[in-house]
PDB file of all heavy atoms in Angstrom:
ATOM      1  N   PHE A 101     -12.822  10.897  22.053  1.00 83.00           N
ATOM      2  CA  PHE A 101     -13.193  11.099  23.459  1.00 83.00           C
ATOM      3  C   PHE A 101     -14.442  10.325  23.869  1.00 83.00           C
ATOM      4  O   PHE A 101     -15.230  10.782  24.709  1.00 83.00           O
ATOM      5  CB  PHE A 101     -13.393  12.593  23.758  1.00 83.00           C
ATOM      6  CG  PHE A 101     -12.279  13.457  23.253  1.00 83.00           C
ATOM      7  CD1 PHE A 101     -12.533  14.518  22.403  1.00 83.00           C
ATOM      8  CD2 PHE A 101     -10.959  13.196  23.598  1.00 83.00           C
ATOM      9  CE1 PHE A 101     -11.497  15.313  21.917  1.00 83.00           C
ATOM     10  CE2 PHE A 101      -9.922  13.976  23.122  1.00 83.00           C
ATOM     11  CZ  PHE A 101     -10.199  15.034  22.284  1.00 83.00           C
ATOM     12  N   GLY A 102     -14.650   9.149  23.263  1.00 82.00           N
ATOM     13  CA  GLY A 102     -15.741   8.291  23.705  1.00 82.00           C
ATOM     14  C   GLY A 102     -17.109   8.648  23.189  1.00 82.00           C
ATOM     15  O   GLY A 102     -18.117   8.130  23.693  1.00 82.00           O
ATOM     16  N   ASP A 103     -17.198   9.521  22.159  1.00 86.00           N
ATOM     17  CA  ASP A 103     -18.504   9.890  21.611  1.00 86.00           C
ATOM     18  C   ASP A 103     -19.033   8.861  20.615  1.00 86.00           C
ATOM     19  O   ASP A 103     -20.143   9.014  20.095  1.00 86.00           O
ATOM     20  CB  ASP A 103     -18.434  11.268  20.942  1.00 86.00           C
ATOM     21  CG  ASP A 103     -18.362  12.382  21.973  1.00 86.00           C
ATOM     22  OD1 ASP A 103     -19.020  12.252  23.015  1.00 86.00           O
ATOM     23  OD2 ASP A 103     -17.642  13.369  21.736  1.00 86.00           O
ATOM     24  N   GLY A 104     -18.246   7.848  20.307  1.00 89.00           N
ATOM     25  CA  GLY A 104     -18.731   6.717  19.535  1.00 89.00           C
ATOM     26  C   GLY A 104     -18.864   6.970  18.051  1.00 89.00           C
ATOM     27  O   GLY A 104     -18.154   7.786  17.453  1.00 89.00           O
ATOM     28  N   ILE A 105     -19.831   6.262  17.426  1.00 92.00           N
ATOM     29  CA  ILE A 105     -20.070   6.315  15.983  1.00 92.00           C
ATOM     30  C   ILE A 105     -21.490   6.818  15.744  1.00 92.00           C
ATOM     31  O   ILE A 105     -22.430   6.410  16.429  1.00 92.00           O
ATOM     32  CB  ILE A 105     -19.862   4.930  15.339  1.00 92.00           C
ATOM     33  CG1 ILE A 105     -18.375   4.527  15.427  1.00 92.00           C
ATOM     34  CG2 ILE A 105     -20.332   4.916  13.886  1.00 92.00           C
ATOM     35  CD1 ILE A 105     -18.081   3.138  14.925  1.00 92.00           C
ATOM     36  N   TRP A 106     -21.628   7.698  14.740  1.00 93.00           N
ATOM     37  CA  TRP A 106     -22.918   8.287  14.392  1.00 93.00           C
ATOM     38  C   TRP A 106     -23.230   8.016  12.930  1.00 93.00           C
ATOM     39  O   TRP A 106     -22.325   7.845  12.111  1.00 93.00           O
ATOM     40  CB  TRP A 106     -22.907   9.798  14.643  1.00 93.00           C
ATOM     41  CG  TRP A 106     -22.752  10.163  16.092  1.00 93.00           C
ATOM     42  CD1 TRP A 106     -21.621  10.056  16.856  1.00 93.00           C
ATOM     43  CD2 TRP A 106     -23.759  10.689  16.951  1.00 93.00           C
ATOM     44  NE1 TRP A 106     -21.855  10.478  18.132  1.00 93.00           N
ATOM     45  CE2 TRP A 106     -23.169  10.888  18.214  1.00 93.00           C
ATOM     46  CE3 TRP A 106     -25.099  11.042  16.771  1.00 93.00           C
ATOM     47  CZ2 TRP A 106     -23.863  11.394  19.305  1.00 93.00           C
ATOM     48  CZ3 TRP A 106     -25.806  11.560  17.848  1.00 93.00           C
ATOM     49  CH2 TRP A 106     -25.191  11.729  19.099  1.00 93.00           C
ATOM     50  N   LEU A 107     -24.529   7.993  12.593  1.00 94.00           N
ATOM     51  CA  LEU A 107     -24.964   7.737  11.232  1.00 94.00           C
ATOM     52  C   LEU A 107     -25.958   8.800  10.779  1.00 94.00           C
ATOM     53  O   LEU A 107     -26.722   9.344  11.587  1.00 94.00           O
ATOM     54  CB  LEU A 107     -25.657   6.373  11.104  1.00 94.00           C
ATOM     55  CG  LEU A 107     -24.849   5.119  11.386  1.00 94.00           C
ATOM     56  CD1 LEU A 107     -25.067   4.688  12.824  1.00 94.00           C
ATOM     57  CD2 LEU A 107     -25.241   4.010  10.429  1.00 94.00           C
ATOM     58  N   SER A 108     -25.958   9.064   9.477  1.00 95.00           N
ATOM     59  CA  SER A 108     -26.979   9.894   8.845  1.00 95.00           C
ATOM     60  C   SER A 108     -27.387   9.245   7.538  1.00 95.00           C
ATOM     61  O   SER A 108     -26.536   8.848   6.737  1.00 95.00           O
ATOM     62  CB  SER A 108     -26.464  11.310   8.575  1.00 95.00           C
ATOM     63  OG  SER A 108     -27.433  12.059   7.861  1.00 95.00           O
ATOM     64  N   THR A 109     -28.681   9.126   7.317  1.00 94.00           N
ATOM     65  CA  THR A 109     -29.201   8.537   6.085  1.00 94.00           C
ATOM     66  C   THR A 109     -29.797   9.599   5.162  1.00 94.00           C
ATOM     67  O   THR A 109     -30.420   9.258   4.158  1.00 94.00           O
ATOM     68  CB  THR A 109     -30.269   7.471   6.405  1.00 94.00           C
ATOM     69  OG1 THR A 109     -31.321   8.084   7.168  1.00 94.00           O
ATOM     70  CG2 THR A 109     -29.661   6.324   7.198  1.00 94.00           C
ATOM     71  N   ASN A 110     -29.611  10.884   5.508  1.00 95.00           N
ATOM     72  CA  ASN A 110     -30.176  11.954   4.689  1.00 95.00           C
ATOM     73  C   ASN A 110     -29.158  13.069   4.458  1.00 95.00           C
ATOM     74  O   ASN A 110     -29.466  14.250   4.619  1.00 95.00           O
ATOM     75  CB  ASN A 110     -31.451  12.506   5.333  1.00 95.00           C
ATOM     76  CG  ASN A 110     -31.262  12.865   6.794  1.00 95.00           C
ATOM     77  OD1 ASN A 110     -30.131  13.009   7.262  1.00 95.00           O
ATOM     78  ND2 ASN A 110     -32.358  13.015   7.514  1.00 95.00           N
ATOM     79  N   HIS A 111     -27.942  12.666   4.094  1.00 94.00           N
ATOM     80  CA  HIS A 111     -26.877  13.604   3.721  1.00 94.00           C
ATOM     81  C   HIS A 111     -26.526  14.576   4.843  1.00 94.00           C
ATOM     82  O   HIS A 111     -26.199  15.742   4.600  1.00 94.00           O
ATOM     83  CB  HIS A 111     -27.261  14.382   2.458  1.00 94.00           C
ATOM     84  CG  HIS A 111     -27.461  13.529   1.249  1.00 94.00           C
ATOM     85  ND1 HIS A 111     -26.452  13.213   0.372  1.00 94.00           N
ATOM     86  CD2 HIS A 111     -28.574  12.893   0.799  1.00 94.00           C
ATOM     87  CE1 HIS A 111     -26.915  12.436  -0.582  1.00 94.00           C
ATOM     88  NE2 HIS A 111     -28.200  12.217  -0.343  1.00 94.00           N
ATOM     89  N   GLY A 112     -26.594  14.103   6.076  1.00 94.00           N
ATOM     90  CA  GLY A 112     -26.148  14.911   7.201  1.00 94.00           C
ATOM     91  C   GLY A 112     -27.195  15.817   7.798  1.00 94.00           C
ATOM     92  O   GLY A 112     -26.883  16.594   8.708  1.00 94.00           O
ATOM     93  N   SER A 113     -28.454  15.728   7.335  1.00 93.00           N
ATOM     94  CA  SER A 113     -29.501  16.590   7.908  1.00 93.00           C
ATOM     95  C   SER A 113     -29.790  16.219   9.355  1.00 93.00           C
ATOM     96  O   SER A 113     -29.986  17.087  10.207  1.00 93.00           O
ATOM     97  CB  SER A 113     -30.777  16.494   7.070  1.00 93.00           C
ATOM     98  OG  SER A 113     -30.563  16.994   5.765  1.00 93.00           O
ATOM     99  N   VAL A 114     -29.827  14.912   9.641  1.00 93.00           N
ATOM    100  CA  VAL A 114     -30.077  14.420  10.996  1.00 93.00           C
ATOM    101  C   VAL A 114     -29.138  13.251  11.262  1.00 93.00           C
ATOM    102  O   VAL A 114     -28.913  12.415  10.386  1.00 93.00           O
ATOM    103  CB  VAL A 114     -31.545  13.957  11.169  1.00 93.00           C
ATOM    104  CG1 VAL A 114     -31.762  13.398  12.573  1.00 93.00           C
ATOM    105  CG2 VAL A 114     -32.512  15.108  10.901  1.00 93.00           C
ATOM    106  N   TRP A 115     -28.597  13.203  12.487  1.00 94.00           N
ATOM    107  CA  TRP A 115     -27.679  12.138  12.888  1.00 94.00           C
ATOM    108  C   TRP A 115     -28.272  11.343  14.047  1.00 94.00           C
ATOM    109  O   TRP A 115     -28.953  11.900  14.921  1.00 94.00           O
ATOM    110  CB  TRP A 115     -26.339  12.717  13.328  1.00 94.00           C
ATOM    111  CG  TRP A 115     -25.573  13.373  12.221  1.00 94.00           C
ATOM    112  CD1 TRP A 115     -25.712  14.658  11.781  1.00 94.00           C
ATOM    113  CD2 TRP A 115     -24.546  12.784  11.418  1.00 94.00           C
ATOM    114  NE1 TRP A 115     -24.841  14.914  10.753  1.00 94.00           N
ATOM    115  CE2 TRP A 115     -24.111  13.782  10.511  1.00 94.00           C
ATOM    116  CE3 TRP A 115     -23.958  11.521  11.363  1.00 94.00           C
ATOM    117  CZ2 TRP A 115     -23.109  13.552   9.565  1.00 94.00           C
ATOM    118  CZ3 TRP A 115     -22.955  11.297  10.440  1.00 94.00           C
ATOM    119  CH2 TRP A 115     -22.540  12.290   9.547  1.00 94.00           C
ATOM    120  N   THR A 116     -28.004  10.042  14.064  1.00 92.00           N
ATOM    121  CA  THR A 116     -28.378   9.184  15.186  1.00 92.00           C
ATOM    122  C   THR A 116     -27.150   8.408  15.629  1.00 92.00           C
ATOM    123  O   THR A 116     -26.289   8.052  14.813  1.00 92.00           O
ATOM    124  CB  THR A 116     -29.491   8.198  14.804  1.00 92.00           C
ATOM    125  OG1 THR A 116     -29.067   7.413  13.675  1.00 92.00           O
ATOM    126  CG2 THR A 116     -30.779   8.928  14.459  1.00 92.00           C
ATOM    127  N   LYS A 117     -27.068   8.137  16.915  1.00 91.00           N
ATOM    128  CA  LYS A 117     -25.897   7.451  17.458  1.00 91.00           C
ATOM    129  C   LYS A 117     -26.044   5.945  17.303  1.00 91.00           C
ATOM    130  O   LYS A 117     -27.107   5.377  17.550  1.00 91.00           O
ATOM    131  CB  LYS A 117     -25.706   7.802  18.935  1.00 91.00           C
ATOM    132  CG  LYS A 117     -24.351   7.385  19.492  1.00 91.00           C
ATOM    133  CD  LYS A 117     -24.125   7.960  20.875  1.00 91.00           C
ATOM    134  CE  LYS A 117     -22.713   7.637  21.371  1.00 91.00           C
ATOM    135  NZ  LYS A 117     -22.443   8.221  22.698  1.00 91.00           N
ATOM    136  N   ALA A 118     -24.963   5.314  16.865  1.00 91.00           N
ATOM    137  CA  ALA A 118     -24.966   3.854  16.732  1.00 91.00           C
ATOM    138  C   ALA A 118     -25.064   3.200  18.091  1.00 91.00           C
ATOM    139  O   ALA A 118     -24.646   3.756  19.109  1.00 91.00           O
ATOM    140  CB  ALA A 118     -23.704   3.398  16.012  1.00 91.00           C
TER     141      ALA A 118
END
Side-chain angles (χ1 to χ4, degrees):
F101 312 124
D103 286 323
I105 293 175
W106 295 72
L107 297 95
S108 175
T109 58
N110 50 17
H111 298 270
S113 296
V114 178
W115 294 85
T116 57
K117 193 170 185 178

